[in-house]
Amino acid sequence: MSHKILVVEDDAATAAYVAKGMGEAGFTVDQADNGRDGLFLASDGSYGAIILDRMMPAMDGMAMLKALRAAGIETPVIILSALGTPEDRVEGLTNGADDYLVKPFAFAELLARVQLLLRRSGGGSAVVTHLRHEDLEMDLLSRRVKRGNRTIDLQPREFRLLEFFLRHPDQVVTRTMLLEGVWDYHFDPGTNVIDVHVSRLRRKLDEGGEAGGSKPLLHTVRGMGYRLGPDN
């Protein structure tokens, strides 16, 4: 079962908030801002779950849900809506939704409900919540990083940078990969922003040096990029 999530939501702020949180929880997230585009994306059945708003342009969430079910696509759907009367909930569930969460909502509850849907459909094991390499460990839910017994305090960008390295251990990660994967840049800004952040991250990872039991873990590969792993 895929751990891709589709977020169909026309409110840009809500969509960005949900997509960011789901991405941090280890999901791959696609987005659509109307039911017509959402239906097109969802029609291949490749998603582990769909988070669906009700009131949207082009095609509303309920119409999209009915079309999905009529096409025989059984991807778990959780409706996320400001319409929260008992009648609204019953309508959503009757028309094929697997769960219904009323706005405003706590992201932790949304995540827990999505993970429950995935477990029920056999996809829970695909959800990554911890990343580990050597003695370095990252908890994606609590946002905590430890090396051995030492807790490492990271800024948000440093956390994303380390997460990227942990998802590509023992591989050479190029600057282009980091610009696209961490900064969402699809061009070279012509600055040393990557070098500065990598340098800060390296200092935090290696604090205390080998005398403190921490061998260098983040290495520069001259002319190519960086690599997370033991020194070769």
Side-chain angles (χ1 to χ4, degrees):
M1 173 67 70
S2 171
H3 67 291
K4 287 171 57 182
I5 299 292
L6 176 61
V7 177
V8 188
E9 167 66 68
D10 69 324
D11 181 78
T14 300
Y17 173 68
V18 171
K20 181 175 183 293
M22 288 295 165
E24 290 170 348
F27 293 98
T28 299
V29 183
D30 290 339
Q31 297 183 60
D33 61 5
N34 64 79
R36 183 182 58 206
D37 291 345
L39 179 61
F40 175 79
L41 289 172
S43 293
D44 66 359
S46 67
Y47 294 96
I50 298 170
I51 299 171
L52 180 64
D53 185 28
R54 281 192 62 162
M55 297 181 290
M56 293 183 295
M59 173 186 282
D60 67 28
M62 199 61 65
M64 176 186 156
L65 177 60
K66 290 178 181 178
L68 275 178
R69 298 306 187 229
I73 297 171
E74 298 301 324
T75 305
V77 172
I78 178 169
I79 292 179
L80 196 61
S81 177
L83 301 176
T85 68
E87 291 76 17
D88 292 323
R89 294 171 185 260
V90 168
E91 182 185 8
L93 296 171
T94 300
N95 282 293
D98 298 89
D99 200 353
Y100 198 111
L101 185 60
V102 179
K103 300 176 182 178
F105 61 95
F107 178 77
E109 181 179 3
L110 174 61
L111 177 61
R113 289 180 181 228
V114 167
Q115 291 173 328
L116 178 59
L117 289 180
L118 286 168
R119 285 198 297 272
R120 287 175 177 170
S121 62
S125 60
V127 181
V128 177
T129 60
H130 285 79
L131 297 171
R132 187 183 182 95
H133 190 66
E134 299 289 323
D135 60 347
L136 182 63
E137 184 176 4
M138 171 180 282
D139 187 322
L140 293 166
L141 297 183
S142 67
R143 311 280 295 175
R144 292 176 181 165
V145 175
K146 294 181 69 176
R147 186 167 186 196
N149 295 320
R150 178 170 60 89
T151 298
I152 302 174
D153 183 24
L154 297 180
Q155 297 298 316
R157 186 73 68 179
E158 294 167 344
F159 188 94
R160 288 186 64 188
L161 183 60
L162 180 58
E163 179 185 351
F164 195 90
F165 281 123
L166 282 167
R167 292 185 184 276
H168 301 82
D170 293 319
Q171 301 177 30
V172 175
V173 175
T174 67
R175 286 173 172 79
T176 298
M177 290 169 66
L178 292 174
L179 283 172
E180 293 184 348
V182 179
W183 275 266
D184 296 321
Y185 289 168
H186 297 280
F187 61 93
D188 188 344
T191 70
N192 66 342
V193 61
I194 291 178
D195 302 293
V196 170
H197 278 82
V198 169
S199 178
R200 289 175 182 167
L201 178 59
R202 180 185 283 131
R203 283 199 301 270
K204 291 184 177 183
L205 294 180
D206 298 341
E207 186 178 338
E210 293 195 36
S214 295
K215 294 182 179 180
L217 203 57
L218 186 55
H219 308 279
T220 299
V221 181
R222 195 171 301 279
M224 298 180 67
Y226 306 94
R227 180 178 57 80
L228 180 72
D231 197 7
N232 292 332

